[in-house]
Amino acid sequence: MGKKSVAAQMWETFIEEGKYPHLQQCKTKTKLLTSAMKERLSDSELKRHEFTRYGIVGKFVAKKIYDIDYIALNEYLYDLGLLLFVVEIDEKKLLRESILIYDLIQEFRLPDTFYIRPSFNKAGRFLNEVRNFEITEQWSLDDMARTLAILKPQVKALSRQYELLKRQTLRLPEIRELERLPKEKRRPIRHKYGSLSLVEKPPKYDVSKIYECFGEGILIEYGKPNSKKLDDFILNGTITQSEIDQFKKVKDIRLDFSVMTLEDEAKILQMLDEKTITAGLNRMRA
């Protein structure tokens, strides 16, 4: 009998210690409670509902859904000399519209990167299931807030441990070996409660090499700016949010509801304030 996979042992331990099942159960309960709270508050004129006693806040936030004219935005960024610093190839669009150009740029494809995707068999799904948890009319908003105040920190703590497990799994020699195999030869790693698959992330390309060989046309036509990299240029004062927004057209406004701790809300607001101040100061210096 072959040597047992280290990855399989690590995941079996994480599951048998109750960490993964508890994380999934807490997530499911949080989702159910958030949905119930949203429904209960839907007729209220207030957008923000604070449950100070439990350090919890529920908020309705209008989220704008945009159509973005990427070609015009890319041209604008190119004229500013920023496109090469932020653009990524939109492979889905490229495959839809030009197989010829797709084939041309394959030599500039960067090495694949991967993530771990778990799947569960009947025994695994049974452990992860939430049982005997029903939110009835007898639940008050206070009951919901109190329960969410217990669940939220547990989800955060267990999610950190779960992300660490996935990173540790990716560093294992057996996973490194799988990465080197052709896609069709990568078999899932089986364990008692299911299996682990090594999945390719969307491919990335060396855009500076594409530019050197073919000029800006492919990048403008089939590129999409990385929003985080764009945010960095907004933050350092190189470009403003309004310059980006001129290429966006609102197609819908969705009312989202979220529940978070007051501590997390304060951190988010502070971070947004700091970003706005930093961008303003850097813009003045530019």
Side-chain angles (χ1 to χ4, degrees), residues 140-159:
S140 66
L141 281 167
D142 210 55
D143 293 331
M144 293 177 196
R146 183 177 65 250
T147 310
L148 282 164
I150 294 164
L151 291 170
K152 285 275 177 185
Q154 292 181 37
V155 169
K156 188 184 277 190
L158 287 165
S159 293

Side-chain angles (χ1 to χ4, degrees), residues 18-282:
K19 290 175 181 175
Y20 190 84
H22 192 53
L23 171 60
Q24 294 308 113
Q25 289 161 16
C26 285
K27 278 184 173 180
T28 302
K29 289 176 184 178
T30 298
K31 193 174 177 180
L32 291 168
L33 283 161
T34 302
S35 179
M37 187 179 272
K38 177 185 180 181
E39 197 175 324
R40 198 73 65 87
L41 293 170
S42 58
D43 293 331
S44 170
E45 291 182 8
L46 297 172
K47 298 296 178 209
R48 185 177 181 281
H49 301 264
E50 190 173 311
F51 302 89
T52 315
R53 185 176 167 192
Y54 306 113
I56 285 284
V57 60
K59 296 198 295 186
F60 287 96
V61 179
K63 184 179 173 62
K64 292 177 180 176
I65 312 298
Y66 296 102
D67 271 330
I68 301 172
D69 186 344
Y70 284 113
I71 292 174
L73 173 57
N74 290 340
E75 284 173 341
Y76 186 77
L77 292 170
Y78 179 73
D79 290 341
L80 291 177
L82 296 179
L83 186 65
L84 290 183
F85 297 103
V86 299
V87 75
E88 294 175 350
I89 293 293
D90 182 352
E91 199 182 68
K92 284 183 182 173
K93 182 183 180 187
L94 191 52
L95 284 167
R96 273 198 318 270
E97 296 182 9
S98 180
I99 292 294
L100 176 65
I101 293 173
Y102 173 80
D103 288 340
L104 271 178
I105 67 167
Q106 285 313 295
E107 64 179 295
F108 307 117
R109 183 170 169 151
L110 296 170
D112 289 329
T113 55
F114 300 86
Y115 66 94
I116 293 290
R117 184 175 65 204
S119 301
F120 292 91
N121 57 24
K122 193 174 179 181
R125 288 194 298 273
F126 180 79
L127 287 175
N128 298 335
E129 271 173 21
V130 168
R131 289 179 286 279
N132 305 318
F133 184 81
E134 192 182 352
I135 303 159
T136 63
E137 289 300 315
Q138 278 72 46
W139 280 67
S140 66
L141 281 167
D142 210 55
D143 293 331
M144 293 177 196
R146 183 177 65 250
T147 310
L148 282 164
I150 294 164
L151 291 170
K152 285 275 177 185
Q154 292 181 37
V155 169
K156 188 184 277 190
L158 287 165
S159 293
R160 281 199 199 103
Q161 292 180 53
Y162 179 48
E163 292 306 317
L164 177 62
L165 173 68
K166 288 193 284 185
R167 288 197 300 274
Q168 288 171 335
T169 306
L170 282 171
R171 289 198 289 267
L172 292 172
E174 65 186 287
I175 301 297
R176 295 290 193 208
E177 281 178 33
L178 273 182
E179 287 179 5
R180 288 190 284 271
L181 291 175
K183 188 176 180 178
E184 61 275 9
K185 290 194 175 179
R186 282 186 218 125
R187 297 280 178 264
I189 295 170
R190 311 228 169 256
H191 58 79
K192 270 192 258 179
Y193 306 101
S195 63
L196 304 170
S197 298
L198 188 66
V199 184
E200 288 174 17
K201 290 182 180 178
K204 294 266 199 305
Y205 291 85
D206 187 332
V207 293
S208 58
K209 290 272 174 62
I210 292 172
Y211 177 68
E212 279 173 28
C213 278
F214 304 110
E216 73 277 11
I218 290 174
L219 301 180
I220 287 171
E221 186 71 31
Y222 299 105
K224 192 180 276 190
N226 178 302
S227 56
K228 189 179 183 308
K229 290 177 182 176
L230 262 187
D231 282 346
D232 290 340
F233 280 113
I234 292 168
L235 198 59
N236 69 24
T238 306
I239 194 169
T240 64
Q241 184 63 55
S242 59
E243 286 176 88
I244 307 297
D245 288 346
Q246 65 182 315
F247 301 101
K248 295 179 177 180
K249 184 180 176 184
V250 177
K251 65 174 179 181
D252 195 14
I253 298 176
R254 189 177 73 211
L255 196 61
D256 285 352
F257 181 76
S258 63
V259 179
M260 65 184 74
T261 64
L262 289 169
E263 184 186 357
D264 283 347
E265 183 193 41
K267 282 179 188 171
I268 291 166
L269 293 173
Q270 184 184 356
M271 185 182 71
L272 292 173
D273 283 346
E274 285 171 1
K275 274 189 169 181
T276 305
I277 292 163
T278 303
L281 288 171
N282 287 331

